[in-house]
Amino acid sequence: MMNDKIKPITKLDEQIKRCEEGYLLFISHRLGIIATKQVRELNKIVKEACQKFNCNPAEYLSLLQKSTNSSPLLEHLVSGITIGETYFFRDKYQMQILYEEVLPELIQKKRLEKQLNLRIWSAGCSSGEEIYTIAMMLEELLPDINAWIINLLATDININAMQKGIKGCFSDWSMRSINPDYLRKYFTQKDRSYILTPTLRERVNFNYLNLKEDTYPSMFNSTNAQDLIICRNVMIYFDANHIGKMMTKFANCLTDKGYMLLGASDPILIDSTGLINKNRHSLLQKTTVEKKEIIKPNITVSIKPKKVIRPLLAKPVINADILTPLKKGEWETVLTLIKEKEIKEPKSGFVKSVKATALANLGKLDLAIISCKESLALDSTNKYTHYTYALALLELNQVNEAETEFRKTIFLDRKLIVAHFQLGLLLMKKNQRENGLKTLKTALSIALSEPKDKTVPGSNGIAFGRFSEILEQEINIYSIKHGESYANTN
């Protein structure tokens, strides 16, 4: 007699088993995630998908392989395999290090520099408990917080989890480690849920970002010049090759002496990254690297601006020695070289525009704005300078001024998709929902009209096909935030 506790193997189970290797390869190729330890959960997700989308396992795999990154089929898979356990003040010892050491040190450094701004990024944010924990800490540590410019970025590939974070509604499970004083101060209880105060919700920006892709650091997605990056329990999903590449990119996202916090179980692969391990609790810090003498080639070549990814260039000539660090985002090197060029060409609006972009990506926003103004005084029709100027103003939370500059950029070139994208997000931030969604959809329309494999200028190398998917994700996030799906906003 069969033990009723053992579920019989069904035909569907057998079909899933036969496709198992294909699913693992697909997940590794598309997301960079190694899911061999999640096979049981993966099989459950596939079974649910087959029922939801009325297909068999082989058909679902085939549909996934043909899907875009904004496809509901892929979203179902991603949501299932990337749900990580998260709650407020998770890992109290790490939270204590942040509250008592790291954040006070960063705050003191900023006060001494008379730069009252902080940039903190939660990479792999899930439903946002981690970044909101940081927001609460800053409220406690900064009695003059309204005098500060606080940029809190939360990114993930799990749209469903981020939607929960945007709404700021959490269950008892998320509260199991929170201080009761914080619970009373920053939440309102409604039935069995806890609603985060709007002040904290508005401090955090949630964005879609796949860490496997080469889209960071960049001002385009606000991943540049970070003072602190928290990426806990994310590296465990990737292989050593992907981890090494990601750690290098994370290091480039940090300011000098900036910090990065990994999870206790995450592997630490930091050779040649400029990061050092501060202690055994997975706290890393970016070290100061001595600048080496830059040896420049004797040959100068002409390169058309359409081949340049960063910054968006308005003139037809750029030195070959500057082009390479531009492509790699090596902004200190760009700045050194462009300063030498500025001495030779003090009246070049183009040179000052490149200088402004390098300064902005390094987080030196006040200096970037000065260079933008100098560039525009020499050439007021340079759309790319207006764009850089707008991004710098936005980073400084001067949203009205930034909106003006984005609109000037679009006036000069109505097909400059990155300006439409940034303006749309800015309008959403200003609670101008209808105009924001309309602007994002304009950007999407432009993206869909271009060849899929063509690079979007100013996007850090993203192709129009991929950019259209990102736009659809952002439209989904902001539509559902207000109680509807993207399908209902067209």
Side-chain angles (χ1 to χ4, degrees):
M1 182 175 178
M2 181 180 293
N3 187 337
D4 57 7
K5 292 184 179 179
I6 300 176
K7 294 183 179 180
I9 297 175
T10 66
K11 184 178 179 180
L12 183 58
D13 291 322
E14 292 176 349
Q15 292 175 338
I16 293 173
K17 188 67 177 177
R18 287 197 294 269
C19 298
E20 191 174 277
E21 186 176 350
Y23 279 105
L24 292 173
L25 287 172
F26 169 78
I27 292 168
S28 175
H29 175 73
R30 181 70 74 91
L31 305 174
I33 293 174
I34 306 302
T36 51
K37 295 181 181 180
Q38 301 167 273
V39 169
R40 182 176 296 180
E41 188 63 29
L42 174 61
N43 290 348
K44 178 183 174 183
I45 296 163
V46 171
K47 186 177 291 187
E48 291 172 351
C50 289
Q51 295 170 348
K52 181 177 181 179
F53 300 111
N54 192 27
C55 58
N56 64 46
E59 290 171 339
Y60 181 44
L61 177 58
S62 178
L63 290 169
L64 284 172
Q65 291 167 338
K66 299 173 184 176
S67 69
T68 67
N69 284 354
S70 58
S71 164
L73 293 95
L74 184 61
E75 282 186 16
H76 177 87
L77 182 67
V78 169
S79 296
I81 65 174
T82 61
I83 291 177
E85 184 183 29
T86 182
Y87 48 90
F88 291 98
F89 292 88
R90 183 182 184 188
D91 193 329
K92 286 192 174 182
Y93 191 86
Q94 284 194 326
M95 293 300 101
Q96 184 179 357
I97 290 175
L98 288 178
Y99 187 74
E100 296 181 359
E101 299 177 27
V102 175
L103 291 175
E105 179 185 318
L106 291 173
I107 290 169
Q108 178 65 12
K109 178 175 178 284
K110 296 288 185 173
R111 290 195 188 279
L112 291 174
E113 295 172 348
K114 296 183 179 180
Q115 297 287 333
L116 302 186
N117 63 78
L118 279 170
R119 296 172 59 79
I120 299 173
W121 174 19
S122 172
C125 65
S126 189
S127 46
E129 285 91 333
E130 180 177 81
I131 195 67
Y132 285 135
T133 295
I134 299 299
M136 284 184 269
M137 289 182 179
L138 293 176
E139 288 282 346
E140 300 296 317
L141 291 168
L142 292 171
D144 57 341
I145 193 169
N146 290 331
W148 286 67
I149 297 170
I150 306 294
N151 290 293
L152 301 180
L153 175 65
T155 67
D156 207 291
I157 59 174
N158 191 325
I159 297 297
N160 293 332
M162 284 195 290
Q163 288 164 359
K164 176 184 174 183
I166 291 171
K167 291 175 182 176
C169 181
F170 301 94
S171 66
D172 285 332
W173 190 247
S174 293
M175 303 296 168
R176 62 187 185 274
S177 191
I178 195 170
N179 184 306
D181 291 338
Y182 281 49
L183 191 59
R184 287 190 293 269
K185 188 173 182 179
Y186 298 113
F187 294 86
T188 300
Q189 187 170 2
K190 184 178 180 182
D191 298 326
R192 300 186 66 180
S193 298
Y194 295 86
I195 313 299
L196 188 67
T197 176
T199 301
L200 290 188
R201 291 206 309 270
E202 291 167 4
R203 290 199 188 281
V204 176
N205 292 315
F206 286 85
N207 289 329
Y208 176 89
L209 190 144
N210 188 341
L211 295 174
K212 178 178 176 284
E213 297 179 339
D214 294 324
T215 56
Y216 59 101
S218 175
M219 279 192 74
F220 171 71
N221 50 27
S222 299
T223 53
N224 64 302
Q226 297 292 325
D227 298 300
L228 170 64
I229 298 173
I230 306 173
C231 186
R232 299 191 297 167
N233 307 308
V234 173
M235 300 298 175
I236 56 176
Y237 293 108
F238 295 89
D239 60 28
N241 181 50
H242 280 109
I243 293 171
K245 292 178 180 178
M246 288 161 59
M247 292 305 295
T248 297
K249 289 184 284 187
F250 277 132
N252 291 335
C253 290
L254 287 169
T255 57
D256 183 36
K257 298 295 184 182
Y259 284 98
M260 181 170 186
L261 185 67
L262 299 176
S265 301
D266 286 321
I268 299 177
L269 303 178
I270 55 177
D271 289 346
S272 304
T273 62
L275 296 170
I276 59 172
N277 195 350
K278 294 292 289 183
N279 57 36
R280 65 183 185 278
H281 298 286
S282 304
L283 180 66
L284 313 176
Q285 187 174 34
K286 186 172 182 178
T287 57
T288 303
V289 180
E290 292 185 9
K291 295 180 182 178
K292 297 180 180 179
E293 181 182 357
I294 299 170
I295 301 174
K296 298 181 291 183
N298 295 322
I299 302 173
T300 299
V301 297
S302 297
I303 298 180
K304 295 180 181 180
K306 66 179 181 180
K307 295 184 179 180
V308 179
I309 295 172
R310 295 180 301 175
L312 299 171
L313 302 175
K315 298 296 180 180
V317 179
I318 181 171
N319 287 11
D321 55 333
I322 298 178
L323 178 62
T324 298
L326 270 174
K327 285 184 175 181
K328 293 181 177 179
E330 297 172 349
W331 300 112
E332 289 285 5
T333 302
V334 172
L335 193 58
T336 299
L337 293 170
I338 209 69
K339 281 181 178 178
E340 295 176 8
K341 193 170 181 63
E342 188 179 27
I343 294 172
K344 298 177 183 178
E345 302 178 44
K347 298 296 183 181
S348 170
F350 162 71
V351 170
K352 293 185 183 299
S353 182
V354 177
K355 179 182 176 182
T357 303
L359 288 166
N361 274 283
L362 288 168
K364 301 176 181 179
L365 300 175
D366 291 338
L367 294 176
I369 286 175
I370 291 172
S371 290
C372 283
K373 290 179 177 179
E374 291 175 346
S375 176
L376 292 172
L378 294 165
D379 182 5
S380 62
T381 64
N382 188 333
K383 59 191 176 186
Y384 306 121
T385 308
H386 283 291
Y387 177 71
T388 300
Y389 189 17
L391 288 176
L393 289 167
L394 187 59
E395 292 287 333
L396 291 171
N397 206 33
Q398 297 180 32
V399 291
N400 292 330
E401 295 84 350
E403 180 181 349
T404 298
E405 290 302 317
F406 280 131
R407 292 192 184 281
K408 287 181 180 178
T409 306
I410 293 169
F411 176 78
L412 291 167
D413 183 355
R414 295 194 175 277
K415 293 197 70 176
L416 194 58
I417 187 172
V418 288
H420 287 282
F421 173 67
Q422 296 291 350
L423 177 59
L425 294 180
L426 183 153
L427 292 172
M428 297 301 301
K429 185 175 182 179
K430 294 178 69 175
N431 292 320
Q432 296 180 23
R433 174 176 175 266
E434 185 176 346
N435 289 335
L437 285 172
K438 181 179 178 181
T439 305
L440 289 175
K441 290 175 188 177
T442 297
L444 178 58
S445 176
I446 295 170
L448 294 173
S449 71
E450 296 286 349
K452 289 185 177 181
D453 58 351
K454 180 181 176 182
T455 298
V456 177
S459 68
N460 212 43
I462 301 174
F464 275 101
R466 179 71 185 103
F467 193 57
S468 66
E469 295 173 1
I470 292 173
L471 281 163
E472 288 175 352
Q473 299 283 26
E474 295 290 348
I475 291 170
N476 271 327
I477 290 171
Y478 284 101
S479 296
I480 296 174
K481 176 181 177 181
H482 295 274
E484 60 183 43
S485 67
Y486 170 55
N488 293 328
T489 63
N490 289 322

